[in-house]
Amino acid sequence: MMINLVRPDQTLAELCDELRLENPDYLRDFHNKNCHPTERLEGNSIGGKQILIPDKQQIAEINREVRKNNESFYDFPVNGRFPFVFDLWEGTYQISQTTYLNNEIKNVYEQKIRLDFEIKSTNYQFQFTAFDFRKNREASDSKASTLSEMCMKTIYPIRITINSQGEIIDAELTKKPKQIDSELEKVKEFFEDHFASDYIEKMKKIVEDPKEVSRKFTNTLLNNFLFGLFYQAKLGDWTTSQTYNDFYPWILDAQPICFELQNTLCPKENLDDEFIKIKQKGISCDYRSLEDLFLTDSEYQKDISTSENSIDCEHFAEYVFSRKNYSLQRIEGTFLNFVNENVEKEIFLLERVIDNF
C-alpha cells in the first residue's frame, strides 16, 4: 500500500486507468478501508487529495474480484483485437464534413450513404450507394451540382470487396459500362452547354477504366474511416495499441497524408454502458510538403525523414460500436492543418440512421 498525491484536475476513474485497476468503486473502497475516518472519499472527485493506493499484487487481486463480480469498466478483447463483424456494417448512414479556417465555419457538406451486404465467403461484399447531397444544409439547385448528382445516380451502386481484415481490395461497377454510357447520354439532354458535355465525357472515360473506378472510390476519407487499418491495430497489455501508420486523404484533390497512429480503448461510462468507444490519435509522419501532396508524381516513400518543410498536421477520431454485437454506430474525426499562422480544420462525422438487423 502506498500514498499517492492526486493532481488537482484528476478524477478517480483517471487514477484507476493509471493504476490499471478496472473499477473506480473498488479503489475508493480500498482507500476508505485503510484511511483515517476523516479522510474517507465520496464520489469521483479526488483532485488534490492524498489517496491510499494498492500495490501491484493487491491491484491484481482487486481486478480478479472485479471480474468475478462482472463489474469491470473495461471489456478487453480476446487476443487484443475486437471481433468487428463487417456484415453488421449494413445500413444507412448520415455523413457530414465541415471545414473551418481559424475556427470559422467555411462550408458544410452532407450526404447519405447506404451499404447493402451481399455475400460472405473468404471476403465480404457490399453494394455502396450515395445520395441526398447537400451543401451548407441545403440541397444545391445549381447547374453544376445537379449535373454531378445526375451522373452519380447513373454510376451507383458500386460493389466493394473487403478482406477479413477490413481492407478494401476492390471496387467495381454493378452496371455494365455500355448501360452507364447510355444513361449518361440521356443526362446530356438536360444540359446544352459545353461544360456539361465535357464533364460527362470525362465520366465516361473513368467508367471505361476499372482501375480508375477502383482508385477514385477507395481513395476517399469515408472509406479510410470505414475500412482502414484502424481495425487491425492490436491492443497492448492495457488500453492502448501499438503505433501504426495509415494514410488519410483529408485534403481535397491531394494525395493521402501518412500518419503515425495509436488507438485507446475507453472505459465504460457506467456498468450498463451500451457502447464501446475507441479513440484514435495521430500526428503526421509524412515528409512531403503541402504543395507536394498536390503533385501526382510525389507518392509517399518509406524511410525518408520529415523536415521543416513537411506538412504539419494532426488527426483525432472516436469510433463508437454497439457493445451487444459490435456494429458500427458513429465515427467522428478531426483534422488540424497548421499553415503559416492559420489553422485549417475539418470535422468528419458519420452516424448510423438505419440498420438491417
Side-chain angles (χ1 to χ4, degrees):
M1 183 171 62
M2 299 173 286
I3 298 176
N4 184 76
L5 180 60
V6 181
R7 298 193 307 270
D9 60 343
Q10 193 171 33
T11 66
L12 193 63
E14 289 170 341
L15 179 56
C16 273
D17 190 54
E18 286 186 8
L19 298 173
R20 302 190 177 187
L21 198 155
E22 297 181 21
N23 187 314
D25 293 339
Y26 284 70
L27 178 57
R28 185 192 303 111
D29 291 344
F30 178 88
H31 171 85
N32 289 343
K33 288 176 182 177
N34 293 282
C35 72
H36 189 276
T38 61
E39 298 176 341
R40 291 175 60 83
L41 296 176
E42 299 292 340
N44 195 37
S45 179
I46 58 171
K49 296 181 180 179
Q50 286 189 338
I51 306 297
L52 297 175
I53 60 174
D55 58 30
K56 288 185 178 181
Q57 182 177 346
Q58 289 170 321
I59 289 173
E61 292 172 356
I62 292 171
N63 282 340
R64 282 195 290 270
E65 185 70 15
V66 168
R67 295 186 183 191
K68 178 182 176 182
N69 296 334
N70 293 317
E71 293 181 333
S72 176
F73 275 64
Y74 297 88
D75 278 348
F76 294 103
V78 177
N79 299 322
R81 289 192 178 94
F82 282 96
F84 296 130
V85 185
F86 287 98
D87 52 339
L88 297 181
W89 262 224
E90 184 173 57
T92 301
Y93 301 85
Q94 176 69 46
I95 312 293
S96 69
Q97 289 180 234
T98 307
T99 59
Y100 298 77
L101 180 61
N102 298 327
N103 288 323
E104 179 183 346
I105 294 179
K106 307 302 290 184
N107 287 297
V108 181
Y109 300 94
E110 297 174 293
Q111 62 176 305
K112 288 187 174 67
I113 65 161
R114 176 153 193 87
L115 292 173
D116 291 299
F117 183 67
E118 288 189 311
I119 61 172
K120 175 183 175 182
S121 52
T122 55
N123 297 317
Y124 301 82
Q125 287 189 333
F126 293 91
Q127 283 198 19
F128 175 99
T129 305
F131 58 99
D132 195 13
F133 300 92
R134 296 175 182 271
K135 180 180 179 181
N136 298 327
R137 311 298 183 187
E138 296 181 358
S140 175
D141 58 358
S142 70
K143 182 180 290 186
S145 296
T146 302
L147 171 63
S148 176
E149 188 164 352
M150 291 179 71
C151 288
M152 288 297 99
K153 286 181 178 178
T154 68
I155 294 174
Y156 290 124
I158 289 176
R159 178 176 291 108
I160 59 176
T161 302
I162 63 174
N163 61 23
S164 59
Q165 301 299 315
E167 296 176 292
I168 295 181
I169 58 176
D170 194 18
E172 58 185 348
L173 302 169
T174 57
K175 299 178 182 177
K176 293 182 178 180
K178 288 185 178 180
Q179 179 184 349
I180 296 175
D181 188 282
S182 176
E183 292 179 9
L184 287 172
E185 280 297 316
K186 292 180 180 179
V187 172
K188 278 187 181 180
E189 298 174 5
F190 293 88
F191 304 91
E192 298 179 353
D193 57 281
H194 291 294
F195 169 80
S197 179
D198 291 345
Y199 181 87
I200 290 171
E201 290 302 316
K202 288 180 181 178
M203 294 293 290
K204 286 182 179 180
K205 289 183 179 180
I206 293 172
V207 167
E208 291 170 358
D209 185 351
K211 290 184 178 179
E212 185 67 6
V213 171
S214 182
R215 186 189 69 81
K216 280 189 168 294
F217 183 78
T218 55
N219 188 27
T220 64
L221 186 59
L222 168 63
N223 285 316
N224 269 82
F225 275 113
L226 284 175
F227 307 112
L229 295 181
F230 168 87
Y231 305 99
Q232 297 183 39
K234 184 177 180 180
L235 294 183
D237 58 353
W238 185 239
T239 59
T240 56
S241 73
Q242 298 174 344
T243 58
Y244 61 100
N245 290 358
D246 201 1
F247 294 83
Y248 282 83
W250 273 109
I251 301 175
L252 184 64
D253 295 329
Q255 295 191 51
I257 303 165
C258 184
F259 288 92
E260 183 178 83
L261 302 157
Q262 188 173 47
N263 301 341
T264 301
L265 171 67
C266 299
K268 297 178 183 177
E269 294 183 4
N270 54 68
L271 289 177
D272 297 324
D273 192 348
E274 298 179 7
F275 302 106
I276 297 169
K277 299 181 181 68
I278 301 175
K279 292 187 182 296
Q280 179 190 50
K281 65 178 181 179
I283 58 173
S284 170
C285 59
D286 204 313
Y287 62 87
R288 294 171 295 180
S289 67
L290 180 60
E291 291 76 15
D292 289 339
L293 294 172
F294 287 94
L295 302 176
T296 56
D297 60 351
S298 64
E299 292 188 6
Y300 180 82
Q301 300 178 37
K302 295 178 65 176
D303 303 325
I304 299 182
S305 301
T306 58
S307 69
E308 60 181 12
N309 296 320
S310 300
I311 186 170
D312 182 12
C313 55
E314 298 176 353
H315 165 103
F316 305 92
E318 181 183 72
Y319 292 68
V320 181
F321 302 89
S322 165
R323 196 174 297 278
K324 179 181 178 181
N325 58 18
Y326 301 110
S327 60
L328 176 63
Q329 299 297 310
R330 188 176 189 271
I331 301 173
E332 182 172 4
T334 300
F335 171 71
L336 299 173
N337 186 23
F338 306 98
V339 184
N340 298 323
E341 296 182 358
N342 296 315
V343 179
E344 298 173 347
K345 180 169 73 172
E346 183 165 343
I347 295 180
F348 170 94
L349 179 63
L350 173 148
E351 295 179 290
R352 180 186 290 273
V353 292
I354 301 174
D355 59 45
N356 287 0
F357 51 85

